[in-house]
Amino acid sequence: MTETIKLSTLDVHFADFIVRIDRHPSSELWWGAALASHAAGRGHTCFNLFAGLDHTALPLSATPRKSPPSDIGLWLASLKTCDTVGAPGAYTPLVLDQGGRLYLHRCWGYEQQIATGILSRSRPLECDENRLDEALDRYFPPQGDTIDLQREAARMALMHRFSVISGGPGTGKTATVARILALLLDMSGDSIPEIALAAPTGKAALRLHQSILQATGRLDLPDTIRNGMPVGVSTIHRLLGAQGRSGGFRYNRDKRLSCDILVVDEASMVDLQLMASLMAALRDDARVILLGDRNQLASVEAGAVLADICDSAGQANVPVTQLTRSYRFGADSGIAALSQLINGGDSGAAAELLQSGSYPDVVWRQLPVGRAFDAAFSAAVRNGYAGYARAESPGEALAELGSFRVLSPLRSGPFGVENLNRLCLNVLAPERKIDARSFRLMPVMITGNNYELELFNGDTGVVMDHDGSPAVWFENPDGGLRHISALRLPPGEAACALTVHKSQGSEFDRVLLVLPDHLSGALSRELLYTAVTRARQHIEIWGTEEVLCQAVERRTVRNSGLGERLAAGGQRC
């Protein structure tokens, strides 16, 4: 499928720079550099010359150029003569591999670092299989002839230093990893391993912390093992020791993390650069377990690392276990049925399910327009946030935020979160007595990273007075609350309504999803699946059948060489 390209100013300036420093400049080089830059900006790790390109693609009018080369063979031949383009491993600004993938050098380096980190940990470890089976029997008792995927995930995690446990919401990923950690502690003897738990955002870290505590509490463990279970959870940035304005991380390939076992939750949100930094900072003998849902949206930044790893599992020696049984949703769950149809790309069946009214936990509403939308949305917000509006303490307000949330695929426009947040605050202001100076009880989401305050993109707080002054209260990943003066707050925005991307790592009892009234490139199967699975008990979707079907039918594809690199055993390709 071809893609119409609209180059940015950055793409054009980068291409001009590459052509200027190369001794063999050409139109092919200019377009290669511009499209590699463009690809990185769109979430791809590389530009694939063989993937197809709409030749109506044009750069900015201020920099007239020919159309992109139409003969791929001549394009490749021309690039190979350039000083700024090298084969994998070369120290050149651009890297061209044998599959026709053209990388910015940093993206190629990140991909190589990840592949090396995974493959070096994927070889089976020597172990006493009888002892292993006995240990598995204690924590994952045999279930007759039924295949226990959680037990298989545990076996893979114990026999390899790298493994992945993927599954939708409620499939028991954290419950499984809690038992795996207990099992590892059980088998470690007198040498107690150091275990670290991490997630991409503060909200995801908090959920991981709560889930591990609940899962551990349900296990009958001796004190020696229970005392060894991890209690703290951090964001990946905090684990690596982010250096703030100076950039980089305290822990890297020259100064390694001390942990023996690392568990990373919500791995689908981890981008290429962050995963590479994590792999570089780990000791070579450290065990890594990734948890996540490979069907969710990929990271906002470049890469789809978890999906690439899962897709390559059949060809590469990478243990990936896909959990399929949901312990949260029963056979009569509309949320479960709808999410399965979305994953399968069956737009007709998904639309029929929504419009049938057969499931009480799934509601469809034809998108109102104009004043009718404002009136209907105001009523939904007043009802959905009723408990939040009555909150008298920061803890109560933060808990109520988990009960209901409005989601949208878009940021701008009448159905984007900017306008939806405005409508939400207009509706709730009289009931919550929002003060124009203090914005009391306003939900706020941090939109940048502040390492000094340990607040990161996606962290959500609520404004409430402390000693007579407005403060913003947040939940700590390891439990409890903390507050920061509103005057010191990093950049943030209202969080009554969230983009679906921003909702990743969170779950809510009830969700109202507002789809736009027009076809949009932001819509995809992964986005709709992510939105639907944010709901624990009930979801209501407002939209049109045409837009809904477009979202189900459109898959997000990110160009990458990671899967092929893993399948090839890390050979430079």
Side-chain angles (χ1 to χ4, degrees):
M1 183 177 179
T2 58
E3 177 185 8
T4 301
I5 304 295
K6 183 178 180 181
L7 299 179
S8 69
T9 303
L10 175 63
D11 302 332
V12 171
H13 286 325
F14 177 72
D16 288 343
F17 169 73
I18 291 297
V19 168
R20 193 161 57 245
I21 65 173
D22 199 291
R23 292 181 300 173
H24 305 91
S26 64
S27 176
E28 290 82 4
L29 175 61
W30 191 94
W31 274 105
L35 292 171
S37 173
H38 175 82
R42 294 288 298 274
H44 304 286
T45 63
C46 59
F47 171 64
N48 191 333
L49 276 71
F50 293 108
L53 181 69
D54 185 338
H55 288 276
T56 61
L58 294 173
L60 297 177
S61 57
T63 311
R65 291 274 174 176
K66 298 178 182 178
S67 295
S70 57
D71 189 317
I72 303 301
L74 291 177
W75 195 355
L76 287 169
S78 177
L79 289 175
K80 290 177 181 178
T81 67
C82 297
D83 304 321
T84 53
V85 181
Y91 290 97
T92 50
L94 298 170
V95 176
L96 180 65
D97 71 10
Q98 294 178 357
R101 288 179 285 260
L102 186 63
Y103 294 83
L104 302 180
H105 189 276
R106 60 179 173 81
C107 291
W108 180 87
Y110 296 148
E111 198 173 273
Q112 179 71 17
Q113 181 70 57
I114 294 170
T116 300
I118 292 174
L119 291 168
S120 66
R121 295 176 171 84
S122 295
R123 290 184 290 273
L125 300 171
E126 293 184 5
C127 66
D128 184 332
E129 293 196 14
N130 290 330
R131 185 181 175 219
L132 175 60
D133 286 336
E134 291 174 0
L136 286 169
D137 288 345
R138 291 196 297 273
Y139 293 90
F140 299 87
Q143 300 180 2
D145 296 332
T146 304
I147 297 177
D148 185 350
L149 292 176
Q150 293 186 342
R151 180 184 172 107
E152 289 305 304
R155 181 183 295 276
M156 292 296 100
L158 266 69
M159 293 183 63
H160 303 80
R161 287 197 174 95
F162 180 86
S163 62
V164 175
I165 303 175
S166 177
T171 52
K173 295 186 294 294
T174 51
T176 301
V177 83
R179 285 190 282 172
I180 291 173
L181 295 178
L183 207 164
L184 286 167
L185 288 166
D186 193 346
M187 299 183 68
S188 65
D190 296 331
S191 178
I192 300 177
E194 180 182 338
I195 303 171
L197 304 176
T201 66
K203 186 66 175 178
L206 177 63
R207 285 188 55 235
L208 176 60
H209 171 76
Q210 294 169 339
S211 298
I212 290 290
L213 283 181
Q214 292 170 2
T216 302
R218 291 191 292 266
L219 296 176
D220 183 14
L221 301 175
D223 290 343
T224 53
I225 295 177
R226 187 174 298 278
N227 293 337
M229 293 291 284
V231 293
V233 183
S234 71
T235 63
I236 299 174
H237 284 84
R238 186 163 54 189
L239 176 72
L240 292 175
Q243 297 294 302
R245 294 180 180 178
S246 63
F249 297 101
R250 178 186 176 192
Y251 294 101
N252 48 54
R253 69 177 65 206
D254 297 319
K255 182 179 175 61
R256 303 295 181 96
L257 290 164
S258 61
C259 63
D260 302 292
I261 303 168
L262 172 65
V263 176
V264 179
D265 197 14
E266 296 291 351
S268 65
M269 299 172 63
V270 183
D271 62 62
L272 186 77
Q273 181 179 3
L274 189 56
M275 185 65 79
S277 299
L278 195 57
M279 288 296 178
L282 289 166
R283 298 199 325 264
D284 295 339
D285 61 345
R287 193 184 302 263
V288 182
I289 304 174
L290 302 185
L291 309 178
D293 186 348
R294 59 97 55 237
N295 295 310
Q296 282 191 31
L297 280 166
S299 59
V300 176
E301 302 298 329
V305 178
L306 182 65
D308 285 342
I309 294 170
C310 292
D311 289 344
S312 68
Q315 296 80 36
N317 185 29
V318 180
V320 175
T321 306
Q322 180 72 36
L323 303 182
T324 56
R325 179 184 175 185
S326 176
Y327 297 89
R328 177 182 304 169
F329 303 119
D332 59 346
S333 168
I335 294 174
L338 179 60
S339 62
Q340 290 172 5
L341 292 174
I342 293 169
N343 269 341
D346 194 337
S347 59
E352 183 179 352
L353 182 152
L354 280 168
Q355 296 170 0
S356 70
S358 302
Y359 295 92
D361 60 336
V362 174
V363 174
W364 168 261
R365 178 168 184 168
Q366 186 69 25
L367 183 69
V369 295
R371 292 183 178 178
F373 174 82
D374 290 358
F377 183 75
S378 297
V381 167
R382 187 174 292 107
N383 177 66
Y385 282 119
Y388 177 74
R390 294 190 296 268
E392 296 294 335
S393 68
E396 184 183 356
L398 288 167
E400 286 292 342
L401 276 180
S403 299
F404 174 77
R405 200 63 63 94
V406 177
L407 303 181
S408 168
L410 305 180
R411 172 163 294 278
S412 59
F415 307 107
V417 296
E418 292 175 350
N419 187 54
L420 297 181
N421 269 309
R422 181 184 63 81
L423 292 173
C424 286
L425 295 177
N426 286 345
V427 168
L428 296 175
E431 298 180 16
R432 295 188 299 137
K433 296 181 174 61
I434 293 181
D435 187 283
R437 293 167 296 176
S438 66
F439 297 94
R440 183 178 182 277
L441 267 176
M442 179 178 179
V444 176
M445 175 172 279
I446 302 302
T447 57
N449 295 329
N450 187 301
Y451 303 98
E452 179 184 354
L453 298 177
E454 293 192 341
L455 287 174
F456 302 98
N457 188 17
D459 287 354
T460 302
V462 60
V463 179
M464 187 169 281
D465 288 354
H466 174 70
D467 293 337
S469 299
V472 186
W473 296 77
F474 297 88
E475 293 177 286
N476 286 321
D478 55 356
L481 301 179
R482 61 177 174 136
H483 65 274
I484 294 172
S485 168
L487 299 176
R488 300 182 64 203
L489 192 70
E493 60 190 19
C496 296
L498 303 176
T499 62
V500 178
H501 273 95
K502 290 287 188 182
S503 74
Q504 284 185 276
S506 300
E507 290 180 350
F508 313 99
D509 293 338
R510 292 170 295 134
V511 167
L512 170 59
L513 172 64
V514 180
L515 298 176
D517 61 348
H518 61 280
L519 304 181
S520 167
L523 295 170
S524 70
R525 183 181 309 175
E526 293 81 4
L527 181 141
L528 190 58
Y529 170 83
T530 300
V532 169
T533 55
R534 296 312 87 202
R536 285 186 289 249
Q537 300 173 7
H538 186 273
I539 184 165
E540 184 170 342
I541 302 176
W542 295 10
T544 67
E545 184 174 347
E546 181 184 17
V547 169
L548 172 77
C549 290
Q550 185 213 28
V552 176
E553 293 168 4
R554 183 173 182 268
R555 291 201 66 180
T556 300
V557 178
R558 287 193 168 180
N559 293 329
S560 165
L562 179 59
E564 185 174 319
R565 197 178 304 280
L566 291 172
Q571 298 176 6
R572 290 177 174 175
C573 54

